[in-house]
């Protein structure tokens, strides 16, 4: 199954998924989750970035920083230069 981590329809999905991965690790459940980039088609385990709770939280943090920078740039562009 593939699912977008970040989308406007379900914004908290990535955080919920990170918590689910962490819970599975805490319960010592065996699982594998991989990042399939946009435009890629899942073919096999090789060649994909394996997700862990820590890696996913890092991705979430990087996305938050990126969105904040975009918001700040948008505010700067909207200011009247005079």
């Amino acid at each position: 199954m593939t699912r977008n981590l970040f989308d406007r329809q379900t914004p908290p999905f990535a955080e919920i998924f990170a918590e689910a991965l962490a819970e599975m690790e805490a319960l010592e459940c065996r699982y594998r989750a991989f990042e399939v980039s946009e435009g890629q088609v899942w073919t096999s385990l090789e060649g994909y970035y394996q997700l862990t709770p820590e890696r996913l939280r890092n991705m979430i943090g990087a996305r938050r920083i990126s969105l904040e920078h975009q918001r700040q740039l948008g505010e700067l562009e909207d200011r009247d230069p005079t």
Side-chain angles (χ1 to χ4, degrees):
M1 177 174 116
T2 59
R3 168 81 195 266
N4 288 334
L5 285 173
F6 305 105
D7 65 30
R8 291 184 178 155
Q9 294 175 344
T10 51
F13 175 74
E15 287 89 353
I16 293 167
F17 188 49
E19 289 302 317
L21 295 180
E23 187 68 24
M24 286 190 285
E25 284 192 1
L27 294 171
E28 298 181 3
C29 295
R30 294 179 61 187
Y31 75 90
R32 288 198 222 176
F34 296 88
E35 178 185 11
V36 179
S37 298
E38 194 170 331
Q40 282 185 318
V41 177
W42 175 264
T43 56
S44 68
L45 296 177
E46 287 76 36
Y48 297 98
Y49 185 72
Q50 188 166 357
L51 293 176
T52 64
E54 181 180 355
R55 287 178 180 166
L56 184 50
R57 286 188 189 108
N58 288 340
M59 291 169 68
I60 293 167
R63 183 171 188 270
R64 281 191 185 125
I65 291 168
S66 175
L67 290 174
E68 179 60 21
H69 286 160
Q70 290 175 39
R71 185 190 64 76
Q72 290 173 356
L73 287 173
E75 287 177 359
L76 289 173
E77 289 175 354
D78 290 342
R79 288 186 185 166
D80 186 6
T82 58

